[in-house]
Amino acid sequence: MIALLLALLAAEPRPGLAYQVTYSVNMDAVPSPDGRALVFIRIVEGREQLFTMDAGGGNERQITHGAADHEDPAWSPDSRLIAFIRIEGGRKIVHVTRPDGSGSRPITPPAQHAIHPSWTPDGTRILYCTDDDLRPPAKNEAAIYSVDVASGAVKTLIAGGINTYPVMSPDGRHIAFRKITGELNSEVYVADANGANLRNLTNDPAWEGWPAWSPDGKRIAFAGNRRSNYQIFVMDADGGNVRLTANTEGRATAPHWSPDGRTIYFTNCASVDYGRGCEVMAVPAP
């Protein structure tokens, strides 16, 4: 009987080992202030392109095209414009466009390598910083600026050291940003709106950044590798009461709040089988 069973098992074809073949890259989803849409990045034929979709999913529309890369989308407070970084010919310049992709125009000086735009609450200016990765893997100094959307006038806000990811509080009184403080350490800082009175909020040996104010200005979401892999955390605006939003696997970064403050969208990138993909995720705000 045992011999017969072994013979039957030997004759049974063994199943193969399946592995993933396709890997999608969707990232940096930002809800519009009116709560109606999301703008996000998708890799299309090797280029970063901007897409919009309904807040509830569906109705996807590609709004940028061509050989340039498009990064760091950010809605204006009235949801009528999207700022983003256009990368072409070795230059990184802040552009603004309508949500349908029309009327795109440059905002920042062509001599600067601008990254990470965000709007001031009154919609008249855009905060941005200069590229800190001009000579990778080494970091170079990066300053934070504001540019007047109408006139193009640029003002330096924070200089000295490596300062990136600036975002202004909803009341317009403070700027949260990432400051790299050591070879293996970066922190979330906050400063007054004019760049004065810098304060370290996170004060942790981990690598942290990507700050995002909650709509009521009482909390700040950020990403950090306090638990070896990058995850999304939320803290009070003074740096206290740090909470993990979700126990995710992979590399979670770039949090953005929904307009009602109930949901946090973020990007999670993970290695799967022989490839790597990135997807947009959402979690209830703690």
Side-chain angles (χ1 to χ4, degrees):
M1 185 68 180
I2 295 177
L4 177 60
L5 180 60
L6 291 175
L8 290 173
L9 290 175
E12 181 73 18
R14 295 185 178 183
L17 179 63
Y19 58 91
Q20 190 167 324
V21 176
T22 60
Y23 306 89
S24 60
V25 178
N26 299 288
M27 52 192 179
D28 288 1
V30 186
S32 60
D34 62 13
R36 299 174 60 186
L38 291 169
V39 61
F40 64 98
I41 300 170
R42 174 176 292 165
I43 302 295
V44 180
E45 296 182 348
R47 295 294 184 185
E48 295 173 305
Q49 304 291 358
L50 299 185
F51 283 71
T52 59
M53 65 181 295
D54 295 342
N59 197 25
E60 291 185 3
R61 180 175 183 178
Q62 184 175 343
I63 65 171
T64 61
H65 303 81
D69 283 302
H70 308 80
E71 296 182 343
D72 297 339
W75 292 93
S76 63
D78 61 6
S79 302
R80 298 177 65 181
L81 292 172
I82 298 172
F84 65 95
I85 302 299
R86 179 180 173 89
I87 306 173
E88 190 172 28
R91 310 307 303 179
K92 299 180 179 181
I93 299 174
V94 176
H95 282 64
V96 295
T97 184
R98 299 186 187 96
D100 63 2
S102 65
S104 178
R105 61 186 179 93
I107 295 294
T108 53
Q112 286 184 321
H113 289 273
I115 56 175
H116 307 322
S118 65
W119 294 78
T120 57
D122 62 8
T124 63
R125 293 177 295 146
I126 293 174
L127 304 184
Y128 68 97
C129 61
T130 44
D131 191 357
D132 60 333
D133 282 319
L134 296 179
R135 296 177 296 275
K139 291 287 187 178
N140 52 271
E141 287 200 357
I144 291 173
Y145 302 85
S146 69
V147 58
D148 186 275
V149 176
S151 68
V154 174
K155 182 179 180 180
T156 304
L157 296 178
I158 301 171
I162 308 171
N163 311 283
T164 55
Y165 294 99
V167 59
M168 188 168 282
S169 59
D171 63 8
R173 298 176 59 188
H174 300 97
I175 299 171
F177 62 101
R178 183 187 76 176
K179 176 180 278 291
I180 295 179
T181 57
E183 187 174 344
L184 298 175
N185 181 237
S186 70
E187 307 282 0
V188 174
Y189 271 66
V190 68
D192 296 343
N194 62 1
N197 195 22
L198 276 64
R199 304 179 298 283
N200 187 344
L201 293 183
T202 47
N203 197 25
D204 190 273
W207 189 274
E208 298 174 318
W210 300 271
W213 294 90
S214 63
D216 61 7
K218 295 181 179 180
R219 294 169 291 170
I220 298 174
F222 65 96
N225 60 355
R226 295 189 177 195
R227 303 187 177 190
S228 71
N229 59 305
Y230 284 89
Q231 295 175 306
I232 305 300
F233 298 83
V234 170
M235 61 182 170
D236 294 344
D238 62 1
N241 196 23
V242 177
R243 290 144 290 171
L244 179 68
T245 62
N247 191 24
T248 55
E249 298 292 336
R251 188 175 190 270
T253 60
H256 295 282
W257 297 77
S258 63
D260 61 9
R262 297 180 179 178
T263 304
I264 297 175
Y265 296 87
F266 62 96
T267 301
N268 193 64
C269 298
S271 297
V272 181
D273 294 335
Y274 303 108
R276 184 173 177 84
C278 297
E279 295 296 349
V280 173
M281 302 186 74
V283 63

